[in-house]
Amino acid sequence: MGKLGISIYPEHSDREKDFAYMEKAAAYGFSRIFTCLLSASRDIQVVKQEFGSFFAKAHELGFEVAVDTNPEVFKALGAAPEDLSVFHSLGIDIIRLDGHFDDFKDALLTRNPYGIRIEFNGSSDTNVRGLIEHGADRRNMTICHNFYPERYSGLSQKTFDRFNEQWKTLGLPVAAFVTSQENETFGPWPVYEGLPTLEEDRRLPIDAQVRHMIACETVDDILIGNAYASEAELQAMAGVKRANTTIRINLEKEIGEAERHALYDNKHAGRNDASEYFIRSSFPRLNFRNTAIPPRSCQDKMFRRGDVLVVNDNLSHYRGEVEIVLKDIENHGQRNRAGRVADSELRILEEMEKRPDHIFEIIP
């Protein structure tokens, strides 16, 4: 299971607020911090002053620290691919390369004697495979996507999937950013439209963003790009089950207890022989061989995409099966509509549709 992370930008923030935020995040199980040296001072003494106590506090609280860099940052700090001693002295665990040197030097970075991991940009067509083929140490390599401050500039799902497919083929862990919805959050630059990787995440509740990342099944570490998320957001993010996909539904008012039992008291697995009309979770049927699910009236002649159905007594052989509609079907009175996938969750349904045998839980 991957890590949850926050981002902190000491050169734009207050030390006391940073430390308080880190302590709250640590209390909720967060264990990774991202920060940026791209906009930091080019004076190594100033960097040590601004960042030194922050790195020390982070390690005291059990965080690992990743810093965004490029060749210009290396030059300003007196570092080189063959000499990462300044990063080691600062207590940095992961160096993220926002820009590159050349294939040999990038590979050399992964062979540093300090065990500092090298993180490559997951939102670009970096030739990571070529680096591995030419001597880079795969065990010391990770991937982290960009975040996108400018509205409408974030990755599309299609692009995100394309990149992640190649990173997972290489067996590399992947990190991506979600965004806080708090007012007046900030990042390394004066842009305040949120800091997500995916454009569709920019205005969604943070737990919906996280559960979508989990449903993609290609993301390991999930980081909040902007500072500071609220304590309620930290709690919501930490409360998301990460072992499998979870999808939130809005229940029908007249739902019966048997239907509730079918929805909530089972982990669900879509059938790999699924039709194009719905995701079928058949295991709940085992609990309803001798338990009735009375039909409930529904005036709608059709069930629509996102409707969540429970098969009732009128189709007793399949009674208790839970179905999530993908394509409109007729209402023949054999299924009760138990609820609908929440609007903020429909993207999760799209991920489940890509893999019909998804293991998932339904949550209220």
Side-chain angles (χ1 to χ4, degrees):
M1 188 177 297
K3 297 177 180 178
L4 299 179
I6 57 174
S7 299
I8 291 182
Y9 307 99
E11 75 276 24
H12 300 304
S13 55
D14 176 89
R15 172 176 163 166
E16 290 185 4
K17 289 182 179 178
D18 284 347
F19 283 16
Y21 184 47
M22 291 158 63
E23 288 168 355
K24 285 180 183 177
Y28 286 109
F30 286 66
S31 58
R32 179 167 169 171
I33 289 179
F34 171 84
T35 193
C36 181
L37 291 181
L38 301 180
S39 58
S41 170
R42 292 301 189 255
D43 185 324
I44 183 59
Q45 297 306 320
V46 174
V47 170
K48 286 183 176 180
Q49 182 179 0
E50 289 181 340
F51 286 82
S53 61
F54 154 57
F55 292 148
K57 182 67 172 179
H59 288 138
E60 177 187 320
L61 293 170
F63 288 99
E64 65 176 8
V65 179
V67 297
D68 212 13
T69 70
N70 59 22
E72 288 73 27
V73 171
F74 272 65
K75 183 178 179 180
L77 297 182
E82 61 273 18
D83 180 11
L84 302 185
S85 57
V86 64
F87 294 106
H88 175 64
S89 68
L90 286 169
I92 290 167
D93 303 297
I94 301 172
I95 295 173
R96 182 180 188 272
L97 292 180
D98 190 61
H100 300 278
F101 295 92
D102 58 40
D103 287 355
F104 172 71
K105 290 181 179 179
D106 285 353
L108 190 62
L109 284 165
T110 70
R111 299 284 178 178
N112 72 85
Y114 305 109
I116 298 173
R117 283 179 288 156
I118 307 304
E119 193 161 67
F120 294 88
N121 186 348
S123 302
S124 71
D125 287 308
T126 308
N127 185 24
V128 174
R129 183 185 297 277
L131 294 179
I132 294 171
E133 291 173 351
H134 290 87
D137 186 350
R138 186 200 307 260
R139 298 166 298 179
N140 213 26
M141 300 168 69
T142 68
I143 299 293
C144 182
H145 281 279
N146 284 337
F147 51 47
Y148 294 90
E150 184 182 2
R151 189 188 290 264
Y152 305 121
S153 66
L155 295 185
S156 69
Q157 187 66 48
K158 182 178 180 181
T159 301
F160 189 63
D161 290 344
R162 175 173 65 83
F163 283 132
N164 286 344
E165 182 178 357
Q166 61 182 330
W167 309 139
K168 286 304 177 183
T169 299
L170 294 174
L172 298 175
V174 174
F177 292 94
V178 295
T179 187
S180 166
Q181 301 300 335
E182 284 292 286
N183 294 324
E184 300 181 1
T185 59
F186 59 93
W189 304 283
V191 183
Y192 306 100
E193 298 286 353
L195 289 177
T197 292
L198 288 166
E199 185 58 39
E200 288 191 49
D201 279 343
R202 198 172 296 276
R203 290 291 176 258
L204 287 180
I206 203 163
D207 68 306
Q209 298 176 57
V210 172
R211 287 185 293 102
H212 173 262
M213 287 285 183
I214 293 167
C216 291
E217 297 189 330
T218 55
V219 178
D220 300 287
D221 295 353
I222 304 173
L223 319 175
I224 305 172
N226 47 351
Y228 304 99
S230 69
E231 183 168 0
E233 287 180 316
L234 295 175
Q235 184 177 26
M237 190 166 165
V240 172
K241 295 180 179 180
R242 287 180 278 156
N244 53 258
T245 295
T246 53
I247 188 164
R248 174 168 286 128
I249 70 169
N250 297 319
L251 286 179
E252 294 283 300
K253 291 181 179 179
E254 305 301 323
I255 186 173
E257 285 304 311
E259 294 163 75
R260 287 179 182 272
H261 174 47
L263 294 176
Y264 297 135
D265 295 340
N266 295 275
K267 276 195 175 180
H268 301 280
R271 292 174 58 131
N272 58 15
D273 62 347
S275 77
E276 62 182 319
Y277 288 94
F278 42 58
I279 293 170
R280 295 178 63 191
S281 173
S282 295
F283 289 122
R285 287 161 44 184
L286 300 174
N287 299 320
F288 291 94
R289 289 171 175 165
N290 300 305
T291 302
I293 300 180
R296 286 189 293 105
S297 62
C298 177
Q299 300 304 312
D300 293 339
K301 293 182 179 180
M302 301 291 292
F303 292 125
R304 308 293 183 186
R305 181 178 176 85
D307 283 344
V308 181
L309 314 177
V310 178
V311 177
N312 62 38
D313 292 344
N314 288 338
L315 196 63
S316 59
H317 181 73
Y318 296 96
R319 180 172 50 218
E321 181 167 281
V322 174
E323 300 166 350
I324 304 179
V325 178
L326 300 174
K327 186 176 178 180
D328 294 358
I329 62 173
E330 294 177 81
N331 176 8
H332 292 300
Q334 299 169 333
R335 298 169 173 86
N336 294 349
R337 184 166 59 201
R340 266 194 67 76
V341 175
D343 289 345
S344 61
E345 313 291 305
L346 289 173
R347 327 162 50 214
I348 297 176
L349 183 57
E350 292 173 6
E351 297 306 313
M352 295 167 62
E353 190 175 5
K354 293 173 186 175
R355 266 196 56 190
D357 59 347
H358 231 88
I359 294 174
F360 64 98
E361 291 181 56
I362 293 172
I363 61 175

